[in-house]
């Protein structure tokens, strides 16, 4: 009797303990399930409904941070800009903005210059960062890349300043010369001399205005709208005829050669102007009794055969520091000589845009005291026509004018020419 009672009491106690343990385990499990884990803080379900869809269509780089400054969501553009590394926001000023916004709920915006990722040249990446609260725990960071917009604005600002300066020079000269003519009305020789100078300045002003119009046209027009197959031999002959008088005055020999019967696809007028500008520069910057050569050939390329037109001179050459800038508007290697020859500093800029709009490139090889070789590389007519039909809206690239080793040998020095 006593033994049975003891067993029953022990069983009851064991049952009570088992129930208590089960209840505690159940409560502990519930608490553990409700506790946010490290994984749950970094997955999409914590984002408010619809936010993920909105972020996916934004053009800006987007980063969502939680209360621990961990990245909950980041767009691919944010990774490309180097904003996010190792699951953390890597830009300290942006991280501080996010903390301040999380603390007081105020929207903040700032423009920053960031080091360009993977570039050893110290180039800065201009961005605009905007931080705003997203719900009660999250912070949204939107970053807009302003680098290209700033570059375009700088180019536009420099262009306006340069145009103003270039226009003021001949206009001011004409004004002064007209006053000189009036003051020298009793001196026929002085009037004739001043009138001659006025004609030179008027011609320079006319050329500048015309080249500004040409540059605007090649930048805005699509040359392939009225494209045709253009014979390279005809372009070369036209460029030679254009500069024949200048070359004859300086006793410069002009020689054309290379592969015959080549064709390119594009706007004949623009292509003739581009090649003519190169030949004219070669003549203007070459000493007397030297030689200017024009050669054409076909070269193989992955996207189809290309036609190369090389203009080689025995001029003063171009230094390494100048070669990086010669395709800029109004940039002159030798300003004094350029003005003396009537140059406007727009010729090579026009060449660059014409070649770019035709799907090609222009390169330069040069050595000081030995001369220069400018090479136009354009798609051959058949390949260019096919490409135009597939991609009717070609884009321009401001970097198509660059330097590289020339496949053409420089002309012999002047003293060994017959």
């Amino acid at each position: 009797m006593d033994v049975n009672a003891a067993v029953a009491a022990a069983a009851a106690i064991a049952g009570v303990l088992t129930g208590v343990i089960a209840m505690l385990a159940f409560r502990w499990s519930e608490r553990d399930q409700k506790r946010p884990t490290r994984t749950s803080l970094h997955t999409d379900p914590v984002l408010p409904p619809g936010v993920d869809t909105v972020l996916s269509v934004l053009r800006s780089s987007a980063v969502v941070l939680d209360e621990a400054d961990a990245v909950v969501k980041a767009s691919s553009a944010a990774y490309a800009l180097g904003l996010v590394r190792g699951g953390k926001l890597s830009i300290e000023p942006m991280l501080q903005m996010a903390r301040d916004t999380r603390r007081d709920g105020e929207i903040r915006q700032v423009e920053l210059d960031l080091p360009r990722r993977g570039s050893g040249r110290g180039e800065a990446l201009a961005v605009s960062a905007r931080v705003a609260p997203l719900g009660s725990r999250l912070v949204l960071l939107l970053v807009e890349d302003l680098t290209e917009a700033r570059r375009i604005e700088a180019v536009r600002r420099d262009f306006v300043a340069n145009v103003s300066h270039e226009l003021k020079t001949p206009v001011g000269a004409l004004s002064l010369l007209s006053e000189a003519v009036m003051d020298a009305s009793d001196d026929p020789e002085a009037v004739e001399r001043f009138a001659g100078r006025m004609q030179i300045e008027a011609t320079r002003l006319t050329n500048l205005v015309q080249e500004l119009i040409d540059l605007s046209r090649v930048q805005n027009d699509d040359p392939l709208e009225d494209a045709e197959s253009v014979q390279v031999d005809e372009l070369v002959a036209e460029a030679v005829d254009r500069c024949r008088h200048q070359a004859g005055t300086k006793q410069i020999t002009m020689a054309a050669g290379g592969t015959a019967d080549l064709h390119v696809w594009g706007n004949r007028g623009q292509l003739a102007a581009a090649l003519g500008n190169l030949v004219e520069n070669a003549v203007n910057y070459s000493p007397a009794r030297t030689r200017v050569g024009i050669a054409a050939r076909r070269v193989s390329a992955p996207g189809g055969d290309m036609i190369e037109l090389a203009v080689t001179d025995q001029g003063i050459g171009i230094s390494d520091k100048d070669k990086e800038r010669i395709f800029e508007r109004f940039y002159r290697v030798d300003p004094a000589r350029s003005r003396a020859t009537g140059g406007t500093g727009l010729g090579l800029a026009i060449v660059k845009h014409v070649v770019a709009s035709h799907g090609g490139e222009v390169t330069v090889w040069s050595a000081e005291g030995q001369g220069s070789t400018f090479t136009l590389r354009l798609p051959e007519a058949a390949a260019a026509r096919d490409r135009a039909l597939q991609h009717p809206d070609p884009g321009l690239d401001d970097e198509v004018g660059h330097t590289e080793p020339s496949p053409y040998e420089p002309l012999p020095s002047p003293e060994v020419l017959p």
Side-chain angles (χ1 to χ4, degrees):
M1 185 70 177
D2 293 337
V3 173
N4 292 335
V7 171
I13 292 172
V16 171
L17 291 176
T18 302
V20 170
I21 292 172
M23 182 180 65
L24 291 175
F26 179 77
R27 291 290 179 86
W28 182 269
S29 176
E30 280 189 330
R31 184 186 303 174
D32 192 60
Q33 289 180 0
K34 292 180 179 180
R35 181 184 302 164
T37 63
R38 182 183 299 271
T39 303
S40 68
L41 290 175
H42 295 269
T43 54
D44 291 346
V46 301
L47 291 176
V51 172
D52 194 10
T53 303
V54 173
L55 295 182
S56 65
V57 298
L58 287 177
R59 298 181 61 182
S60 305
S61 302
V63 180
V64 178
L65 304 176
D66 63 11
E67 64 269 21
D69 291 334
V71 175
V72 176
K73 180 76 176 179
S75 64
S76 57
Y79 286 99
L81 288 178
L83 303 179
V84 178
R85 296 177 186 174
K88 294 288 186 178
L89 185 63
S90 60
I91 310 301
E92 185 59 33
M94 296 182 186
L95 188 58
Q96 187 59 47
M97 287 174 58
R99 292 168 179 166
D100 294 340
T101 296
R102 185 184 302 112
R103 185 182 65 253
D104 56 23
E106 182 180 348
I107 297 175
R108 288 174 169 82
Q109 183 168 353
V110 68
E111 292 189 2
L112 301 170
D113 291 331
L114 309 178
R116 190 181 295 271
R117 187 178 183 183
S119 175
R121 294 177 294 178
E123 297 178 351
L125 190 70
V127 299
S128 174
R130 185 178 179 86
V131 180
L134 186 63
S136 59
R137 297 190 303 111
L138 305 180
V139 173
L140 172 63
L141 170 68
L142 296 177
V143 179
E144 189 78 22
D145 188 355
L146 303 178
T147 308
E148 185 64 14
R150 284 192 180 181
R151 187 190 68 81
I152 293 175
E153 180 60 30
V155 169
R156 183 183 295 110
R157 185 171 55 250
D158 292 344
F159 180 72
V160 171
N162 287 329
V163 166
S164 301
H165 173 73
E166 295 294 333
L167 288 174
K168 283 180 180 178
T169 301
V171 169
L174 287 172
S175 177
L176 292 175
L177 288 169
S178 63
E179 293 179 5
V181 168
M182 294 177 63
D183 293 339
S185 57
D186 296 333
D187 186 351
E189 293 183 1
V191 169
E192 185 177 356
R193 184 172 67 255
F194 292 142
R197 287 295 305 168
M198 290 178 69
Q199 288 182 337
I200 294 174
E201 295 299 334
T203 301
R204 178 176 297 168
L205 182 60
T206 301
N207 293 338
L208 176 59
V209 172
Q210 184 59 51
E211 291 203 352
L212 285 171
I213 295 172
D214 293 341
L215 180 60
S216 176
R217 181 179 294 117
V218 300
Q219 286 180 308
N220 297 326
D221 292 350
D222 180 5
L224 301 184
E225 287 184 356
D226 301 319
E228 59 180 324
S229 179
V230 181
Q231 189 170 3
V232 173
D233 292 340
E234 295 179 357
L235 294 178
V236 173
E238 187 173 336
V240 171
D241 288 340
R242 170 177 168 176
C243 303
R244 191 179 301 278
H245 175 72
Q246 295 168 279
T249 302
K250 300 174 66 174
Q251 300 180 18
I252 292 176
T253 302
M254 303 184 68
T259 307
D261 198 28
L262 299 176
H263 292 77
V264 293
W265 183 259
N267 184 293
R268 178 187 177 85
Q270 291 190 12
L271 293 173
L275 182 59
N277 282 347
L278 292 183
V279 176
E280 187 175 10
N281 280 351
V283 172
N284 288 336
Y285 286 91
S286 293
R289 294 180 295 279
T290 57
R291 187 180 181 187
V292 171
I294 310 170
R297 68 173 185 172
R298 179 187 293 108
V299 295
S300 299
D305 288 347
M306 304 287 286
I307 303 301
E308 285 189 348
L309 278 163
V311 179
T312 304
D313 63 56
Q314 297 171 293
I316 60 177
I318 305 170
S319 66
D320 291 337
K321 66 179 182 67
D322 288 322
K323 279 190 287 189
E324 300 296 328
R325 301 190 59 191
I326 55 175
F327 293 97
E328 295 178 12
R329 302 172 183 90
F330 297 111
Y331 187 80
R332 297 180 175 93
V333 175
D334 186 349
R337 183 165 186 169
S338 179
R339 293 184 186 279
T341 58
T344 62
L346 291 173
L348 290 180
I350 293 174
V351 172
K352 182 188 73 171
H353 284 285
V354 168
V355 176
S357 63
H358 283 77
E361 63 177 353
V362 54
T363 59
V364 58
W365 171 92
S366 186
E368 290 185 274
Q370 298 184 34
S372 306
T373 297
F374 285 83
T375 303
L376 303 180
R377 188 176 289 114
L378 297 163
E380 195 174 15
R385 183 172 59 251
D386 296 340
R387 188 179 304 174
L389 293 175
Q390 295 174 1
H391 306 285
D393 187 20
L396 292 180
D397 182 3
D398 283 337
E399 301 299 326
V400 296
H402 56 275
T403 61
E404 67 175 27
S406 171
Y408 299 92
E409 293 295 330
L411 291 171
S413 35
E415 56 268 22
V416 300
L417 288 175

